[in-house]
Amino acid sequence: MNIKHNDCLHFSNIDAAKGICRLTGNIVEIDSDACASYDKKAKCKFCKNFTEESTDGIGTCVGLKVNDWVYGELNAVTCSSYEEK
Amino acid sequence: MSNIKTPSERARGLRDIYYMTLSTTDMEFPYWYNRKWKELDGEVTVVRRAMALKEAFSRITPNILPGEKLVMQKTYNYRGSFPMPWLSEGFFIAKEDDLFKEVENAANASADELSEFGQGGGNVTKSFGNVVSIAGKFGMRKEEIPVLVKIAKEWTNKSVEDLGRKYEQMVPNYQMKEDIMKTLICMFDSGYTLPQGREVINYYYPLQYGFDKLKEMAIECKSVVAGNAHGDGILGMERLYFYEAVIHIIEGLQNWIGNYANHAEELADKTQNETLKKEYTEISENLKWITHNQPRTFKEALQLSYALHIAVLNEDAISGLSIGRLGQVLYPWYEQDIAEGRITREEVLELMELYRIKITAIDCFASTGVVGGVLSGNTFNNLTLGGITKDGQAACNELEEIILESGVSCQTPQPTLSVLYDEKLPESFLLKASECTKTGSGYPAWMNNRVGIDFILDQYGEEGMDIREARSLAIGGCLETSPCCWKELTLNDKKYAVPGGAGQPTSVGVHFVSNPKILELVLTNGYDKRTDIQVFPPHNKELATYEELVETFSDYYKVAVDILAKTNNVQHDIWRKHNMSVVNSFMKPDCLDKGQHIGNMGYRYNATYNVESCGTITMVNSLAAMKKLVYDDKKYTLEELKNAILNNFGYKNALETGNYSMATQIKEDGITEWDKIHSDCINAPKYGNDDFYVDSILKDYEEWFCDMTREVESLFGKKMYPCQISVSTHGAQGAATLASADGRLSGTTFSDGSMSACPGTDKKGPYAIFNSATVWDHSRSQNSQLNLKLHPSAIVGAKGTRSLLDLTRAYMRKGGFHVQYNVLDSNTLIDAQSKPDNYRDLMVRVAGFTQYWCEIGKPIQDEVIARTEYEGV
């Protein structure tokens, strides 16, 4: 899996293209490669309850009361059912 | 105070980040709303909606940027927004889905085609990398596009847009409504585009009681009303569901703020920077407190009011959710903190600078036609200053002075500032406000408090408005006089009367009827040449007299307003049944007392629907030219004038040349046939020169318009009234209109506002405009709008400040409702148009709002450049 900056816990989003690295204070592009200090952010694509992912990044969430489709890039930092794969 | 003041280092850093931030939309909030909504199929709608909103608020990823003291925003992005497919799902999937053809044929396609965004600033006008441009303004991550399309499809035939369209088609002569929209006689449907807004929010209940206490009260109310109709066989039982919804929504907001508190705590734990650690810790403690309780300090009260503002904006597509008289609402905390030494004046100034940046970062996701053509990307979070107190004394205070100072030191488009001018206000305050206007920020705008009070009393008297309550008014949106009320706030046993919104949105009703376009169709027998549509039934009149011309204009106008009012009533009825407000409802009086949400007229004042016009002075000048040249002097026949108009007086269309002001039009080669008539049209009497020949036409029109609109009924069974601002519609609607009899050429913008002169036609200075503008009673209308452009050299130094105040005062004393100023050199604007990268922070006043120059579309840029520039006052 290609790890991007917005997969990192130290990344503070600014917009669809960039954010701030909390460790360095620098502006970084989302799509540039994460560095050695990378720390995984909770996202559906990293969760055990994310299954049946299709090519467009949409799969199924089986972790909540009712199963439903979900997309892998969705942040899960506020999800109590998040379980890292 | 001078224009060389700068923001604090912290505010400057965050504003610099804003300058490079792209307007970004994402799917987090819509995903969770949609998922929960589906799960609750069968639930009572208001409860279902509250629970879906609760889920979405609870799931927002918190994100605090380093350096922020005032935290939270609409999404995890700094300048974020998101689509609401449950409201309108059609346009943003147009290019992704089979719905494309249907959307292309939809009535609002014309608005989209003729609206332009500025190409600079944060606008994402083109896709790049993994960022997709949506609606010509917003950037979305490529990986979220399938999510957008999937959710949108799930709302097809269920959204307010689709359901509203289904039922509005049952209104007789519906096809005419579609034709009116396609021809841009009307600019947009408010029911599913911006169903709330141009109103004043009310922060009182959470500020007074705190969330825990409010929740307790709602639980108690539930037990009182459960199973009891209490004499109201239709709505009595509804109260139970509303209180249940309020409990859910409060819990959702508590989760949202609580998540931010936890985020701040985590950041404090992780950072090695001791200063940041201390700041994050304080942020966390403050957020934890206001999650449950009444704020203790100014900082907490400001944070809570800001969070509540964002909360309302996240429940609906809203433009013009005005902050109201914030300096008076938060004064109790300011006064007590200063007295106790808990905060300094300088700290408050910095907080208000940070507040400006946060409010400027508010975006609203809607279609190109609405966000670009109407709003110029602005969201009109207006902050009102001045006015008078409940007992008729000057209401300004020291905190309002700091708000003015922050508007100078940290210039940003929002919140725009409005002064409720009243003779009771002290000279020092008025001069301070004039100083702020002088800096070229475009704010504060100046509104006449007494005229506003008269309007409020007249419009809302039937709902119980009295003179003391009318004094609580504030400005909603750009300059919409909005009904408010006083509530008693207690802080540490001291009581304060604080003002806040108490009325329905005023962004609703019949919006942006193009006066020049209707006049055009009078000349063309109801036929629109641009689209080849017979919009109105042919009148087949010879228009042999001026009176017959005006009468036919009135007839077409009434037909248009009638069909638009009825169809919009249907749309808004669907909205109130399926997408009713819960957050705004629970905050605004008297929903909690009545146990009813906005859709059930829970608000104290409900007669807020209006008829909004555009291009008034272009129409007035055109009528004057026809009266003079055709009917009085008989120099030309109406047919000759009509031919000249149809041939655009021998010029190219503005859409062809790409220039939209009269100053830069190009003639067709070798065509001189209409030169003489064009010259005569241009030289015909023009509004703004204290000439009663033309001003009497304005007077007659206003008297007719103010009466006619009150004959129109809203879905709440209330009389409507006029709203006379153009926002940015004079660009798009001008683009859809042929040349006009005043000499204006096809496709160029109309006159802006409603009391501004057409650029270059006001020859006798501002005081002549004041005389022209005040030939009618402004208190009969929700507003009027006058924009003036002054060269900075006209008001230099302290003497210039005094001159500017004298100028404003002269207009107010004549009974004018509103005046605002662009204080800048037109040459700067011309240079900025060719070199936008050099002017990222340049702001201009458009028509009721300030916006970054680089984010405004070219038609409006051209119009602002062309405005008459006064070099002396």
Side-chain angles (χ1 to χ4, degrees):
Chain A
M1 187 181 290
N2 179 28
I3 300 297
K4 303 187 298 285
H5 267 114
N6 69 348
D7 293 329
C8 177
L9 202 55
H10 304 304
F11 181 82
S12 171
N13 290 75
I14 292 177
D15 59 31
K18 59 188 173 294
I20 297 173
C21 172
R22 294 189 188 280
L23 298 179
T24 65
N26 295 332
I27 303 284
V28 288
E29 300 290 327
I30 286 177
D31 292 308
S32 58
D33 291 336
C35 70
S37 303
Y38 166 77
D39 192 357
K40 190 182 282 183
K41 182 197 269 185
K43 280 187 159 187
C44 289
K45 65 183 178 184
F46 300 135
C47 178
K48 282 180 184 170
N49 295 313
F50 181 61
T51 63
E52 302 168 354
E53 183 180 9
S54 60
T55 52
D56 60 5
I58 293 177
T60 303
C61 168
V62 297
L64 297 175
K65 191 174 157 191
V66 178
N67 292 353
D68 201 355
W69 65 267
V70 74
Y71 58 108
E73 285 296 328
L74 183 64
N75 288 331
V77 295
T78 57
C79 183
S80 56
S81 298
Y82 176 78
E83 289 181 79
E84 194 173 320
K85 279 177 183 169
Chain B
M1 192 162 57
S2 77
N3 60 3
I4 57 167
K5 280 204 168 182
T6 54
S8 72
E9 194 178 330
R10 181 190 304 274
R12 192 204 326 261
L14 289 164
R15 191 175 61 173
D16 285 346
I17 290 173
Y18 175 80
Y19 282 151
M20 61 172 155
T21 301
L22 300 173
S23 182
T24 296
T25 191
D26 76 276
M27 295 305 296
E28 184 178 64
F29 194 101
Y31 174 79
W32 287 113
Y33 180 97
N34 184 57
R35 182 167 175 172
K36 180 56 75 174
W37 179 270
K38 288 186 293 182
E39 191 183 311
L40 296 169
D41 188 19
E43 178 59 90
V44 172
T45 305
V46 66
V47 177
R48 186 180 185 186
R49 185 153 156 71
M51 292 176 76
L53 286 167
K54 173 185 175 181
E55 181 77 7
F57 275 108
S58 304
R59 299 286 191 172
I60 294 173
T61 302
N63 178 26
I64 298 172
L65 264 65
E68 286 195 301
K69 275 187 173 175
L70 190 63
V71 300
M72 303 177 75
Q73 57 266 330
K74 290 186 75 168
T75 72
Y76 56 78
N77 286 301
Y78 197 42
R79 186 181 176 180
S81 61
F82 51 86
M84 297 182 181
W86 45 93
L87 198 58
S88 171
E89 93 295 353
F91 74 89
F92 44 72
I93 60 170
K95 291 179 183 173
E96 308 290 339
D97 191 86
D98 290 338
L99 290 171
F100 175 67
K101 285 182 182 172
E102 285 182 38
V103 171
E104 192 177 43
N105 291 331
N108 66 352
S110 286
D112 290 353
E113 288 161 8
L114 293 170
S115 300
E116 283 197 29
F117 282 116
Q119 299 298 304
N123 291 344
V124 183
T125 55
K126 288 176 185 165
S127 300
F128 66 95
N130 287 322
V131 179
V132 176
S133 171
I134 299 186
K137 176 179 172 66
F138 306 93
M140 176 179 274
R141 296 289 303 171
K142 190 170 74 178
E143 53 269 23
E144 292 190 275
I145 296 296
V147 183
L148 170 62
V149 174
K150 195 171 177 63
I151 294 180
K153 282 181 176 174
E154 292 184 351
W155 283 93
T156 301
N157 296 326
K158 298 174 187 169
S159 67
V160 175
E161 176 185 17
D162 289 358
L163 265 180
R165 180 150 290 145
K166 175 182 170 184
Y167 284 97
E168 70 173 330
Q169 288 181 23
M170 297 175 188
V171 174
N173 297 322
Y174 176 74
Q175 186 56 43
M176 185 192 292
K177 187 261 177 171
E178 289 282 324
D179 293 342
I180 284 171
M181 303 307 289
K182 283 177 187 167
T183 54
L184 246 60
I185 291 170
C186 181
M187 190 70 190
F188 75 103
D189 290 306
S190 55
Y192 62 87
T193 53
L194 298 167
Q196 294 189 76
R198 299 202 204 160
E199 62 190 282
V200 181
I201 197 170
N202 200 317
Y203 308 121
Y204 169 76
Y205 288 107
L207 286 177
Q208 167 69 17
Y209 298 105
F211 285 126
D212 281 357
K213 180 71 178 164
L214 282 174
K215 200 171 139 187
E216 279 175 30
M217 290 158 71
I219 291 168
E220 197 178 316
C221 288
K222 229 171 55 166
S223 66
V224 172
V225 302
N228 292 314
H230 282 137
D232 185 345
I234 298 173
L235 294 179
M237 297 296 288
E238 294 273 325
R239 297 173 300 169
L240 174 66
Y241 317 125
F242 176 67
Y243 288 127
E244 175 72 359
V246 168
I247 292 164
H248 285 296
I249 208 69
I250 287 175
E251 288 174 349
L253 299 183
Q254 288 181 306
N255 292 340
W256 176 47
I257 299 171
N259 286 339
Y260 262 91
N262 295 337
H263 176 56
E265 194 170 31
E266 287 165 11
L267 293 175
D269 288 344
K270 282 181 184 166
T271 186
Q272 303 301 311
N273 181 317
E274 285 306 313
T275 306
L276 267 180
K277 190 183 286 288
K278 192 177 164 200
E279 288 178 5
Y280 287 139
T281 301
E282 187 186 3
I283 289 168
S284 177
E285 286 172 356
N286 290 346
L287 290 173
K288 280 179 181 169
W289 181 264
I290 62 171
T291 299
H292 301 282
N293 308 299
Q294 182 191 39
R296 298 164 295 188
T297 63
F298 176 79
K299 201 178 282 184
E300 288 177 355
L302 181 67
Q303 175 66 64
L304 179 58
S305 71
Y306 167 73
L308 292 167
H309 203 83
I310 299 300
V312 173
L313 291 170
N314 270 8
E315 81 162 337
D316 227 339
I318 301 179
S319 159
L321 182 72
S322 287
I323 294 157
R325 291 155 74 161
L326 187 74
Q328 294 164 34
V329 174
L330 298 185
Y331 186 72
W333 287 272
Y334 174 83
E335 181 191 59
Q336 295 190 18
D337 277 11
I338 290 286
E340 296 296 323
R342 284 191 289 262
I343 200 164
T344 65
R345 200 178 188 283
E346 288 66 35
E347 287 173 304
V348 174
L349 177 60
E350 182 181 66
L351 283 171
M352 295 318 299
E353 289 173 345
L354 298 175
Y355 182 77
R356 294 198 62 81
I357 299 163
K358 296 297 275 186
I359 297 292
T360 296
I362 293 172
D363 265 348
C364 173
F365 189 100
S367 72
T368 308
V370 171
V371 179
V374 180
L375 315 178
S376 274
N378 202 290
T379 51
F380 317 112
N381 301 272
N382 202 337
L383 193 157
T384 302
L385 306 161
I388 54 177
T389 61
K390 193 175 183 179
D391 56 359
Q393 300 306 307
C396 59
N397 59 42
E398 190 179 345
L399 180 55
E400 290 198 334
E401 290 183 7
I402 295 175
I403 290 170
L404 279 169
E405 285 176 32
S406 68
V408 174
S409 59
C410 187
Q411 297 206 337
T412 56
Q414 297 199 63
T416 193
L417 304 175
S418 295
V419 168
L420 286 175
Y421 174 88
D422 196 283
E423 296 285 339
K424 287 266 189 178
L425 292 172
E427 201 73 352
S428 59
F429 178 79
L430 294 171
L431 285 169
K432 203 166 192 108
S434 293
E435 278 283 352
C436 185
T437 300
K438 253 180 67 171
T439 62
S441 60
Y443 53 73
W446 299 78
M447 284 77 166
N448 191 325
N449 193 45
R450 300 291 164 152
V451 171
I453 287 172
D454 284 351
F455 167 78
I456 290 279
L457 279 171
D458 181 52
Q459 182 63 23
Y460 302 103
E462 291 171 12
E463 295 185 88
M465 179 66 75
D466 62 25
I467 182 64
R468 286 163 70 82
E469 184 122 307
R471 291 170 180 155
S472 64
L473 75 91
I475 302 301
C478 297
L479 55 151
E480 285 88 334
T481 313
S482 297
C484 298
C485 69
W486 303 102
K487 298 292 280 186
E488 187 177 86
L489 189 139
T490 308
L491 184 64
N492 299 319
D493 298 325
K494 186 170 178 182
K495 296 185 188 310
Y496 302 81
V498 295
Q504 295 254 359
T506 78
S507 63
V508 284
V510 178
H511 274 204
F512 301 110
V513 178
S514 171
N515 290 9
K517 187 72 187 175
I518 291 187
L519 188 57
E520 173 190 311
L521 265 63
V522 170
L523 297 182
T524 57
N525 210 15
Y527 170 78
D528 181 56
K529 190 186 172 196
R530 186 181 69 88
T531 57
D532 193 22
I533 292 173
Q534 182 70 42
V535 183
F536 298 121
H539 55 72
N540 296 326
K541 292 177 184 172
E542 289 184 16
L543 306 175
T545 64
Y546 176 74
E547 289 69 28
E548 190 176 41
L549 176 80
V550 171
E551 184 183 282
T552 309
F553 171 81
S554 308
D555 289 345
Y556 271 178
Y557 210 116
K558 281 193 277 192
V559 167
V561 168
D562 180 64
I563 189 81
L564 290 167
K566 286 174 177 165
T567 50
N568 272 280
N569 277 347
V570 173
Q571 286 179 10
H572 282 284
D573 193 44
I574 295 295
W575 173 82
R576 70 168 167 170
K577 288 179 167 70
H578 289 259
N579 201 69
M580 69 286 281
S581 158
V582 185
V583 185
N584 210 7
S585 282
F586 102 82
M587 288 166 56
K588 207 179 268 196
D590 297 314
C591 289
L592 284 178
D593 295 317
K594 295 179 184 174
Q596 302 290 355
H597 59 73
I598 174 176
N600 291 340
M601 294 170 65
Y603 290 172
R604 190 173 298 182
Y605 302 106
N606 298 282
T608 60
Y609 282 56
N610 54 42
V611 179
E612 197 160 36
S613 59
C614 173
T616 296
I617 297 306
T618 297
M619 173 211 69
V620 166
N621 285 345
S622 298
L623 284 170
M626 284 190 271
K627 186 170 190 290
K628 177 75 175 165
L629 299 174
V630 176
Y631 297 105
D632 288 354
D633 294 355
K634 302 189 189 331
K635 193 167 184 179
Y636 302 99
T637 66
L638 191 61
E639 200 58 28
E640 286 171 328
L641 179 60
K642 184 179 151 187
N643 280 338
I645 286 171
L646 291 173
N647 285 283
N648 198 28
F649 297 106
Y651 281 77
K652 294 178 187 292
N653 188 296
L655 275 66
E656 192 183 335
T657 65
N659 295 313
Y660 301 91
S661 80
M662 284 293 291
T664 50
Q665 295 309 301
I666 301 170
K667 281 204 74 176
E668 297 277 7
D669 289 341
I671 296 179
T672 57
E673 188 179 348
W674 291 282
D675 286 2
K676 180 73 174 83
I677 193 169
H678 191 219
S679 172
D680 285 337
C681 288
I682 286 174
N683 290 322
K686 293 286 186 285
Y687 161 89
N689 296 293
D690 196 13
D691 177 355
F692 198 64
Y693 186 89
V694 58
D695 296 345
S696 64
I697 293 173
L698 171 67
K699 183 174 188 290
D700 291 346
Y701 161 76
E702 289 290 355
E703 286 171 357
W704 168 81
F705 190 52
C706 292
D707 286 342
M708 183 273 289
T709 51
R710 284 177 170 80
E711 292 168 10
V712 187
E713 186 184 45
S714 77
L715 74 159
F716 294 118
K718 308 290 183 188
K719 63 184 177 186
M720 295 198 193
Y721 54 85
C723 174
Q724 303 194 64
I725 59 174
S726 67
V727 195
S728 300
T729 58
H730 55 296
Q733 291 191 306
T737 305
L738 300 177
S740 38
D742 62 340
R744 180 195 140 271
L745 297 173
S746 178
T748 59
T749 54
F750 298 151
S751 55
D752 65 272
S754 57
M755 292 297 105
S756 306
C758 284
T761 64
D762 42 334
K763 310 283 191 188
K764 296 184 177 175
Y767 288 91
I769 295 182
F770 295 171
N771 285 342
S772 292
T774 53
V775 292
W776 64 285
D777 178 3
H778 289 210
S779 72
R780 293 278 292 145
S781 178
Q782 183 186 27
N783 44 38
S784 63
Q785 184 173 27
L786 171 59
N787 297 316
L788 292 180
K789 190 160 80 176
L790 308 178
H791 192 278
S793 63
I795 46 174
V796 173
K799 189 180 169 195
T801 306
R802 167 66 61 186
S803 297
L804 183 62
L805 177 56
D806 288 345
L807 187 71
T808 305
R809 179 172 277 147
Y811 189 53
M812 298 288 133
R813 285 180 174 170
K814 279 185 170 294
F817 174 70
H818 158 273
V819 63
Q820 63 191 15
Y821 304 97
N822 264 312
V823 183
L824 39 74
D825 184 343
S826 296
N827 291 325
T828 304
L829 300 180
I830 292 166
D831 193 50
Q833 201 170 38
S834 61
K835 300 168 198 158
D837 292 343
N838 294 349
Y839 293 90
R840 175 61 184 87
D841 58 351
L842 176 65
M843 304 191 305
V844 295
R845 194 72 178 175
V846 183
F849 62 96
T850 293
Q851 181 58 300
Y852 288 117
W853 176 257
C854 60
E855 296 197 3
I856 297 171
K858 189 167 186 299
I860 299 300
Q861 286 186 350
D862 286 348
E863 181 267 308
V864 174
I865 289 173
R867 287 180 193 172
T868 306
E869 180 178 284
Y870 291 107
E871 295 183 346
V873 296

